[in-house]
């Protein structure tokens, strides 16, 4: 396996900053907001109640019930408690889901560009990674692309919408078609919904948890509190899947992390029980991300050689810099390196996501940082009339 390239880029930026460089770090997708106060208070309350011991590997019943009722309240989904398991973040949810059903020799379908961890999961499980290129469809996966990629060895498809790194959102109707195509051929679908609530209107949050029980048999939802509630360091997420798949995941987790921290499970369960407060907290962050998005994308499109489509979700601008590649720069990695050394701006090279020629800018940072970054980029590359995205 390879070290996470997004974390590596962030570490390089941090090292330069420690040496005194005035670095603007737009690498890591980590909310710059603090965890909402009411969630912190619930964690303190959990500690005061003495919730400092082991829980069941699937998480506490309170946590499982809170997730199930939240999905009912917010999406009208009918989920049984035994279909929910707590995990240490979205990453562990994804690993549990994939590793509990994949065998060496199976084929794993991964739309490209992909989030850096997906191919590594395949490497770890000894599966054959089969990439589905989405550059012909504006980075939006569709059911016929999936259908064309399925063979009798295909076991699992991983989807991620809203998407990291592209910011694209797969329309709900297409998502359902994708699951139908997979279910017909006995292929499972792992849906990484870690940016579920960060969809900018008119795009809307859509979870595959709402499917009929027949279709949902083939689906595992990987959810996370990290981005949704600005809780990256708390390490908590969950899966929603059929009872059989859930049992396999819990068995696997019982030999690794065992379960996420007991009082963190309590805090998250209490937060979800106060569904309206939680939704309001998320919407406040969404509004701020939207404000930044509305500033950043047109501004990036004024930088010579940059071209960026409007993200519909998540908090990344995925910038096409192929126009700059030629005499001066050999690759998008060279562009990123020059930006770091000359303009002190750290971004992630698209090659990390299987998309050479692109750079990913995270706008989970202050408006001030974004404005300064744009000024420095203008000085470095020059500006032109805003191009339409
Ligand atoms: C697409 C995607 N999935 C999952 C995760 C994992 O989040 P966590 O493990 O912090 O819940 C991330 C984090 O960057 C992500 O971008």
């Amino acid at each position: 396996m390879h070290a996470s390239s997004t974390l590596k880029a962030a570490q390089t930026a941090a090292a330069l900053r420690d040496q005194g460089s005035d670095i603007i770090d737009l690498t890591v997708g980590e909310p710059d907001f603090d965890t909402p106060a009411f969630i912190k208070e619930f964690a303190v309350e959990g500690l005061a109640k003495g919730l400092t011991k082991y829980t069941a590997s699937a998480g506490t019943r309170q946590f499982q019930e809170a997730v199930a009722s939240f999905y009912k309240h917010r999406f009208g989904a009918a989920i049984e408690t035994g279909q929910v398991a707590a995990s240490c973040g979205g990453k562990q949810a994804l690993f549990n889901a994939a590793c509990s059903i994949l065998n060496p020799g199976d084929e794993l379908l991964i739309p490209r560009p992909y989030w850096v961890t997906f191919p590594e999961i395949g490497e770890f499980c000894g599966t054959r990674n089969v990439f589905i290129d989405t550059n012909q469809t504006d980075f939006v996966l569709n059911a016929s692309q999936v259908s064309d990629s399925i063979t009798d060895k295909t076991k699992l498809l991983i989807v991620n919408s809203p998407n990291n790194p592209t910011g694209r959102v797969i329309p709900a109707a297409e998502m359902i078609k994708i699951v139908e195509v997979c279910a017909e051929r006995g292929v499972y679908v792992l849906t990484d919904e870690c940016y579920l609530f960060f969809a900018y209107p008119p795009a809307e949050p859509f979870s595959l948890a709402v499917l009929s029980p027949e279709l949902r048999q083939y689906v595992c939802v990987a959810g996370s509190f990290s981005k949704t509630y600005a809780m990256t360091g708390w390490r908590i997420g969950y899966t929603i899947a059929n009872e059989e798949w859930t049992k396999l995941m819990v068995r696997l987790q019982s030999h690794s992390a065992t379960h996420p921290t007991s009082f963190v499970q309590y805090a998250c369960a209490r937060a979800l029980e106060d569904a309206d407060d939680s939704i309001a907290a998320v919407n406040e962050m969404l509004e701020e991300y939207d404000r930044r998005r509305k500033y950043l994308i047109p501004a990036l499109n004024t930088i010579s050689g940059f071209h960026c489509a409007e993200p519909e979700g998540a908090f990344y601008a995925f910038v096409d810099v192929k126009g700059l590649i030629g005499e001066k720069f050999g690759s998008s990695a060279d562009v990123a390196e020059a930006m770091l050394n000359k303009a002190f701006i750290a971004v992630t090279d698209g090659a990390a996501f299987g998309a050479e020629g692109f750079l990913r800018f995270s706008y989970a940072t202050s408006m001030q940082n974004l404005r300064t970054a744009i000024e420095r980029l203008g000085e470095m590359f020059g500006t032109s009339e805003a191009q339409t995205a």
Side-chain angles (χ1 to χ4, degrees):
M1 296 176 77
H2 308 95
S4 163
S5 8
T6 43
L7 294 183
K8 226 161 55 186
Q11 278 156 12
T12 311
L16 282 169
R17 190 184 294 126
D18 289 348
Q19 289 162 21
S21 300
D22 177 18
I23 297 286
I24 299 179
D25 183 3
L26 307 179
T27 57
V28 147
E30 174 157 52
D32 55 321
F33 305 109
D34 195 4
T35 305
F38 72 101
I39 304 185
K40 289 186 184 175
E41 280 156 23
F42 285 139
V44 172
E45 189 180 295
L47 278 170
K49 279 172 171 277
L51 299 176
T52 55
K53 303 286 197 276
Y54 287 134
T55 73
S57 288
T60 62
R61 197 164 170 88
Q62 183 190 16
F63 180 87
Q64 293 171 299
E65 279 171 0
V67 171
S69 1
F70 181 83
Y71 274 73
K72 183 161 183 54
H73 175 83
R74 179 65 184 76
F75 299 108
I79 296 164
E80 306 290 328
T81 310
Q83 297 172 335
V84 178
S87 63
C88 301
K91 257 184 198 167
Q92 195 182 29
L94 294 163
F95 260 86
N96 285 345
C99 297
S100 61
I101 62 163
L102 290 173
N103 290 308
D106 287 341
E107 288 181 356
L108 170 64
L109 296 183
I110 304 174
R112 184 160 53 195
Y114 45 72
W115 181 50
V116 289
T117 291
F118 299 155
E120 299 293 335
I121 292 178
E123 293 291 325
F124 183 77
C125 295
T127 53
R128 195 167 90 80
N129 291 336
V130 176
F131 297 102
I132 308 178
D133 279 309
T134 58
N135 41 358
Q136 296 300 322
T137 49
D138 268 342
F139 298 142
V140 182
L141 182 73
N142 67 40
S144 77
Q145 289 167 322
V146 173
S147 175
D148 291 347
S149 308
I150 294 177
T151 71
D152 55 4
K153 293 218 173 82
T154 311
K155 178 65 106 20
L156 181 69
L157 162 74
I158 305 189
V159 280
N160 170 224
S161 174
N163 185 272
N164 174 8
T166 66
R168 307 311 275 169
V169 171
I170 302 173
E174 198 60 40
M175 275 293 246
I176 295 170
K177 267 197 224 158
I178 289 170
V179 178
E180 283 169 348
V181 158
C182 287
E184 255 168 44
R185 314 268 293 270
V187 172
Y188 293 90
V189 178
L190 173 54
T191 173
D192 177 349
E193 297 187 355
C194 107
Y195 297 99
L196 175 65
F197 294 99
F198 298 131
Y200 306 104
E204 278 179 17
F206 172 73
S207 172
L208 283 179
V210 303
L211 295 182
S212 64
E214 293 72 37
L215 271 186
R216 201 148 50 76
Q217 273 203 70
Y218 288 90
V219 172
C220 176
V221 172
S224 169
F225 287 80
S226 293
K227 322 279 176 175
T228 314
Y229 303 104
M231 295 178 70
T232 44
W234 296 60
R235 308 312 304 142
I236 185 153
Y238 51 89
T239 48
I240 302 171
N242 70 48
E243 273 87 354
E244 207 50 43
W245 198 348
T246 301
K247 273 187 198 146
L248 294 177
M249 291 191 277
V250 171
R251 201 184 294 166
L252 178 62
Q253 181 163 287
S254 75
H255 293 292
S256 57
T258 312
H259 60 75
T261 304
S262 44
F263 55 87
V264 170
Q265 289 185 51
Y266 175 79
C268 291
R270 291 296 310 274
L272 293 184
E273 285 161 11
D274 288 350
D276 293 332
D277 285 354
S278 302
I279 292 167
V282 177
N283 283 342
E284 222 173 276
M285 293 188 238
L286 177 68
E287 267 174 39
E288 177 56 24
Y289 288 135
D290 198 15
R291 204 167 73 86
R292 297 173 189 177
R293 178 183 77 128
K294 285 182 175 140
Y295 162 71
L296 183 66
I297 310 309
L300 283 170
N301 279 317
T302 65
I303 306 299
S304 299
F306 280 35
H307 184 82
C308 184
E310 180 133 301
E312 302 160 284
F315 36 67
Y316 305 103
F318 203 48
V319 181
D320 184 338
V321 293
K322 290 198 281 292
L324 291 174
I325 298 169
E327 267 174 34
K328 209 163 166 205
F329 303 105
S331 64
S332 47
D334 289 348
V335 180
E337 198 184 327
M339 278 170 50
L340 186 58
N341 294 328
K342 291 202 178 126
F344 303 114
I345 298 169
V347 295
T348 311
D349 176 24
F353 312 103
E356 156 62 29
F358 287 79
L359 299 177
R360 190 195 73 172
F361 291 61
S362 163
Y363 52 89
T365 188
S366 68
M367 269 300 242
Q368 184 53 49
N369 274 345
L370 297 176
R371 287 188 199 284
T372 311
I374 290 295
E375 267 168 37
R376 291 186 192 175
L377 289 172
E379 279 162 24
M380 182 171 169
F381 295 103
T383 55
S384 56
E385 277 303 295
Q387 307 145 32
T388 42

